[in-house]
Amino acid sequence: MSKAYVLVVDDEPDIRDLVREILEDEGYEVATAESAEAAREQLRERRPELVLLDIWMPGEDGISVLKAWAAAGELNFPVVMISGHGTVETAVEATRHGAIDFVEKPLSMGKLLATVEQALAQHPAAPRPAPVTPVGRSTLMCDLREQAERTAAGDSWVLISGEPGSGRKCLARYIHGLSARRNGPLVEVAAGTIAGSSAAEELFGQEIAGATRTGRLEAAAGGTLVIDGLTDLDAEAQTRLASAIDAGGFQRVGGSAQVPLDVRMIAITRHDPADAVAAGAFRQDLCYALSVIPLEVPALRAHAEDIPELVRFFVDGMVEAEGLKYRRFTVAAQNRLRHHDWPGNVRELRNLVQRLLVLGDGLDIDVDEVEAALATAGPGQADAGWPPSIPLELPLREAREQFERAYLQQQLERAGGSVAGLARLAGMERTHLYRKLRSLGIDPREGSEAGGGRA
């Protein structure tokens, strides 16, 4: 795979050819354009990871092109300006409109390569979270890691199934982090958030009135696209996706240019794929295309022997990353956790560990404290009356106040009337919290007296 895809825009053929040859020798994939219009044509075909843009060109100059991209919301890549007549004023203007650097002609190839590398390092196409190895020494988890590692060695598309909270996204990131695409972007999209008519535009991009908006597939070019809840996509988006897989490319909504499909797709579903197909929620051809390698993440109750190791992993991580006070679970407490059903799977266990570290005192977490925490988290108790019902006809300010009042009252009850505990739960500094409680008409002393708690 190439290091990055770079678009060089310059009206001088010798400069274009020289820069292309130098960058290609360094492993970059390069396209060239001799004018602003030619650059727009290139953008319609494929989104670059970096643009080298000449300022002085016949017709539309580079600064005007940069301003137009920024105004249209299309400036989703770093731009380095090139000029043979550079001045401080033009450099400042270019920076003000979104350029990240400026190089002058005659070009120093050493300076150019250093600038390109720095621009790509400072402005990666997408954040790359460090992959977390799925935790557990049970046979189920050992087998799952082995399957994931074998999967990562190839470039086949993957369909991950399993219950919500079981660690499906963690597995997808793990596969990406081990793959040959690990230096490319990792783009994640929750299908439920783009359901409906906007799904196709979000995935494939859009061309309208001469403007181009890239979609998630282009943003993930050279890397991995993770679609969570694939069966939530509407029929049109599923049809377009199936066609793109079959053709090895796609067209943006409203466009005609063919964009190459250069991604590894990992789809996540909570449903059994065959059941989703039978129910009409999942196209059969799309299911086949994405099920080249099917992986199923087990529910936590199926590998409860891994719970002590998971608990240690969460405690260590929260102490280091969140600055929480270290506490240890007694053997009896760990045994109780192993015999819980965990309907929310690993996510539920993590939330429980966090709550015990935040609210508890003392070094040891014993079985009674775990029992109390499990009871508090049970249905119909801590979450009773939540979320609050807020009339939609209210102005935003009043609706926000109602939500904040209900949220803080609920958290105050969870904290047993303790303002210190409420501050930890809400993540607020106590002085600011007191002012907020006063402005919302909440008297913590009333909660304290009613619940027998302490402030």
Side-chain angles (χ1 to χ4, degrees), residues 9 24 29 105 187 301-302 321 376 387 413 415 453-454:
V9 186
E24 286 180 344
E29 185 179 357
K105 300 175 185 177
V187 176
R301 59 185 172 274
T376 301
E413 183 178 345
R454 54 185 177 81

Side-chain angles (χ1 to χ4, degrees), residues 108-139:
S108 161
M109 290 300 107
K111 164 70 172 173
L112 178 64
L113 288 174
T115 302
V116 166
E117 291 173 3
Q118 184 177 15
L120 290 168
Q122 292 178 349
H123 299 264
R128 299 169 186 163
V132 176
T133 303
V135 175
R137 301 180 187 179
S138 63
T139 301

Side-chain angles (χ1 to χ4, degrees), residues 191-373:
T193 66
I194 59 170
S197 59
S198 65
E201 287 89 344
E202 286 291 331
L203 284 176
F204 300 97
Q206 186 178 26
E207 292 183 26
I208 183 169
T212 299
R213 185 170 71 88
T214 57
R216 308 296 181 91
L217 283 169
E218 283 181 85
T224 303
L225 177 67
V226 178
I227 301 183
D228 187 4
L230 183 66
T231 54
D232 292 333
L233 287 178
D234 67 4
E236 179 192 356
Q238 288 196 29
T239 299
R240 280 180 172 270
L241 192 55
S243 299
I245 295 170
D246 186 56
F250 60 92
Q251 295 176 341
R252 301 185 191 95
V253 176
S256 57
Q258 189 76 357
V259 181
L261 187 64
D262 179 23
V263 299
R264 179 186 210 162
M265 187 173 297
I266 299 179
I268 294 174
T269 178
R270 65 183 180 276
H271 303 292
D272 180 281
D275 291 344
V277 169
F282 198 10
R283 285 180 61 100
Q284 189 170 51
D285 53 352
L286 186 57
C287 178
Y288 288 152
L290 294 173
S291 299
V292 175
I293 300 181
L295 297 175
E296 183 176 1
V297 182
L300 181 55
R301 59 185 172 274
H303 60 110
E305 63 266 40
D306 291 323
I307 286 177
E309 185 178 354
L310 282 163
V311 167
R312 288 192 296 272
F313 174 78
F314 290 140
V315 169
D316 292 344
M318 291 172 190
V319 169
E320 180 178 351
E322 303 177 31
L324 298 181
K325 183 179 178 181
Y326 176 79
R327 304 188 71 202
R328 66 188 179 200
F329 286 71
T330 65
V331 172
Q334 293 179 54
N335 188 55
R336 176 62 184 91
L337 294 175
R338 287 187 59 172
H339 290 85
H340 184 62
D341 286 340
W342 301 112
N345 291 295
V346 177
R347 181 191 300 145
E348 182 185 359
L349 175 62
R350 184 192 186 281
N351 292 343
L352 183 78
V353 171
Q354 184 178 40
R355 185 159 63 249
L356 289 168
L357 294 186
V358 169
L359 294 180
D361 295 315
L363 176 61
D364 287 339
I365 299 173
D366 62 18
V367 66
D368 292 337
E369 192 173 355
V370 167
E371 287 283 10

Side-chain angles (χ1 to χ4, degrees), residues 141-163:
M141 292 305 295
C142 288
D143 289 347
L144 183 64
R145 280 195 301 273
E146 183 180 344
Q147 292 176 49
E149 289 159 8
R150 288 202 304 266
T151 299
D155 205 34
S156 300
W157 291 16
V158 185
L159 181 63
I160 299 177
S161 60
E163 294 182 5

Side-chain angles (χ1 to χ4, degrees), residues 159-171:
L159 181 63
I160 299 177
S161 60
E163 294 182 5
S166 58
R168 298 167 302 172
K169 281 187 181 179
C170 174
L171 186 66

Side-chain angles (χ1 to χ4, degrees), residues 26-43:
E26 291 297 316
Y28 295 97
E29 185 179 357
V30 184
T32 61
E34 71 279 3
S35 64
E37 184 55 38
R40 291 191 176 94
E41 286 296 324
Q42 292 283 3
L43 287 179

